[in-house]
Amino acid sequence: MQNNHYCVIMAGGIGSRFWPRSRTNKPKQFLDITGTGETLLQQTFNRFKLIVPPENIFIVTNEVYRDLVLEQLKISFEQVILEPERKNTAPCIAYANKIIERRCPDAVIIVSPSDHLITKEHDFVSAIQRGMIFAQQNDALLTLGIAPTRPETGYGYIQASEAISPDKTGQIKKVKTFTEKPNLEMAKIFLESGNFYWNSGIFIWSLSSINAAFESYLPEVFIPFTFLSEPKGINYDSMAIRKAYSECPSISIDYGLMEKAQNVFVIKSAFGWSDLGTWNALYEQSSHDINRNFIRGENAFVYDSKNSIIQMPNDVVLIADGLDEMIVVFSDNGLLICKRNDEQRIKDFLEIVKSKKTSIL
């Protein structure tokens, strides 16, 4: 491990599409979603400890989750970067960059969400290490692209250029285009083409490269945090951070920067990746019964049903008959029943409910 290697784990999301398990007061990254005995955040942190010195791993999260982070991870308070409000991924990355710059101006940084599933850890570590070498030697913004295994409509896609690879392995390619979540017909075309990859949302870059990109393409996000470049202790307080966030637009790093920059590369990867953003994503990575049902709950009795997701507390009795491609999840005071094909609408449903019953969500 090199001392100038850093990692930023983004852990401030609400995970609304995993309702009712994921709640505002305890989102999915703080839950043991996969049944391993570790929360998603703990799994992510332990994975990056294999690559980066533990003291160089920073968690960016909302102020209200500070105690949850410190309870679940053995890290110092200084490693928890607190956001006063949610402004998408670009501001949180710009903020973390400035914190790291104070410690190590020549840092090479990995940025990763906190809620991904990785089943082939050795292959993941190898891909990250290869990417960090490339990022350290080149003025490049590198993203990890996942070789698609199915025509997935829930992920964004990256198209790789057919030009000669700039690295000896042939695994790193210049990015040609980014594409938002496609419809099924287009996803099938992407899968067949062989040069489209799922956008993992995991990035690797040198601090100098990402700062230059922010200055060029997102100065409205970069400038509010420049005060953090001053000597430590000067103007560094919660009020100053709140002011910086109030001046930033809410914008993703993909849309605001990666889709505009000319030095964006993708490293082709296959390490058993899944963005556990939805119940269907968990279903794809889980074991099923003979009828392709994913069932959790000691007292869940399911009959004449197939291809469904059922998750119940052990002390709740469920009798279900005739389910087909359905999601049925009960947790605390919330019950979700919807078609699997409609899971992307869960977030919209919650917004409607919140406008009427905010206290119960």
Side-chain angles (χ1 to χ4, degrees):
M1 296 182 188
Q2 296 189 31
N3 289 333
N4 72 326
H5 287 180
Y6 283 77
C7 178
V8 174
I9 299 174
M10 299 179 290
I14 297 176
S16 55
R17 288 178 296 174
F18 247 109
W19 189 87
R21 282 292 308 280
S22 182
R23 300 297 183 96
T24 302
N25 64 341
K26 196 171 186 179
K28 64 175 178 177
Q29 62 268 28
F30 302 110
L31 303 175
D32 177 12
I33 292 290
T34 57
T36 62
E38 290 184 326
T39 67
L40 294 178
L41 176 61
Q42 289 170 328
Q43 289 183 39
T44 303
F45 183 84
N46 291 335
R47 191 180 303 130
F48 283 112
K49 281 200 306 184
L50 303 173
I51 305 167
V52 171
E55 63 272 17
N56 289 0
I57 302 176
F58 287 83
I59 313 298
V60 185
T61 191
N62 191 273
E63 290 176 342
V64 298
Y65 303 138
R66 180 193 63 181
D67 292 343
L68 277 172
V69 171
L70 293 173
E71 285 172 11
Q72 295 193 2
L73 303 178
K74 294 180 179 179
I75 59 176
S76 68
F77 176 81
E78 288 75 18
Q79 288 174 259
V80 185
I81 301 174
L82 300 176
E83 294 187 286
E85 57 181 306
R86 296 179 178 88
K87 285 288 186 82
N88 217 313
T89 53
C92 90
I93 290 171
Y95 182 12
N97 286 346
K98 287 299 180 181
I99 298 296
I100 293 172
E101 187 174 3
R102 289 184 169 209
R103 293 179 51 171
C104 184
D106 66 340
V108 178
I109 305 169
I110 312 160
V111 177
S112 173
S114 57
D115 55 358
H116 288 181
L117 177 67
I118 307 294
T119 60
K120 299 177 182 178
E121 198 167 77
H122 176 77
D123 294 340
F124 175 79
V125 171
S126 296
I128 293 291
Q129 290 174 333
R130 187 162 63 247
M132 296 195 83
I133 291 171
F134 182 80
Q136 185 155 326
Q137 296 175 347
N138 297 273
D139 177 21
L141 308 177
L142 186 63
T143 182
L144 270 66
I146 310 300
T149 57
R150 61 184 184 276
E152 175 62 54
T153 61
Y155 298 155
Y157 284 74
I158 301 168
Q159 183 181 18
S161 168
E162 296 179 1
I164 296 174
S165 175
D167 76 315
K168 295 180 180 180
T169 67
Q171 296 299 303
I172 297 177
K173 293 277 191 179
K174 191 84 180 286
V175 169
K176 188 174 182 180
T177 59
F178 285 87
T179 303
E180 294 301 317
K181 299 172 183 177
N183 59 33
L184 182 59
E185 182 178 352
M186 189 60 67
K188 290 179 179 178
I189 294 173
F190 289 170
L191 180 64
E192 293 169 0
S193 75
N195 67 334
F196 278 83
Y197 301 89
W198 290 334
N199 186 354
S200 71
I202 301 173
F203 309 103
I204 306 173
W205 41 52
S206 68
L207 183 59
S208 58
S209 291
I210 188 60
N211 278 346
F214 265 110
E215 284 191 88
S216 296
Y217 301 104
L218 276 178
E220 63 271 34
V221 173
F222 182 77
I223 291 172
F225 294 103
T226 53
F227 75 94
L228 288 170
S229 298
E230 299 173 4
K232 192 172 183 181
I234 297 179
N235 293 327
Y236 182 50
D237 55 41
S238 61
M239 291 302 295
I241 297 301
R242 287 183 185 281
K243 182 176 184 295
Y245 266 78
S246 71
E247 295 172 357
C248 284
S250 179
I251 189 169
S252 73
I253 195 72
D254 295 86
Y255 180 75
L257 195 155
M258 299 297 283
E259 294 181 14
K260 299 173 182 176
Q262 301 301 307
N263 59 334
V264 180
F265 294 81
V266 59
I267 180 167
K268 301 185 289 184
S269 311
F271 41 71
W273 172 89
S274 176
D275 172 8
L276 288 180
T278 64
W279 287 108
N280 272 326
L282 179 62
Y283 175 89
E284 294 292 342
Q285 299 297 327
S286 303
S287 58
H288 310 114
D289 67 13
I290 193 171
N291 295 312
R292 298 290 297 169
N293 295 307
F294 166 75
I295 302 174
R296 293 293 182 273
E298 293 180 0
N299 291 302
F301 300 94
V302 181
Y303 305 96
D304 193 23
S305 298
K306 59 184 178 181
N307 305 313
S308 293
I309 300 167
I310 300 99
Q311 187 167 102
M312 307 295 290
N314 289 334
D315 59 350
V316 173
V317 177
L318 169 72
I319 299 175
D321 177 62
L323 301 181
D324 186 5
E325 298 278 349
M326 295 293 293
I327 302 173
V328 180
V329 180
F330 180 76
S331 181
D332 295 327
N333 61 344
L335 173 64
L336 169 69
I337 302 174
C338 74
K339 296 177 182 177
R340 282 181 56 194
N341 287 341
D342 287 339
E343 71 164 359
Q344 297 295 334
R345 299 175 64 192
I346 294 173
K347 188 174 182 178
D348 298 329
F349 296 149
L350 282 178
E351 289 302 316
I352 297 171
V353 176
K354 282 180 181 179
S355 67
K356 303 175 181 178
K357 300 285 185 181
T358 54
S359 62
I360 66 171
L361 296 177

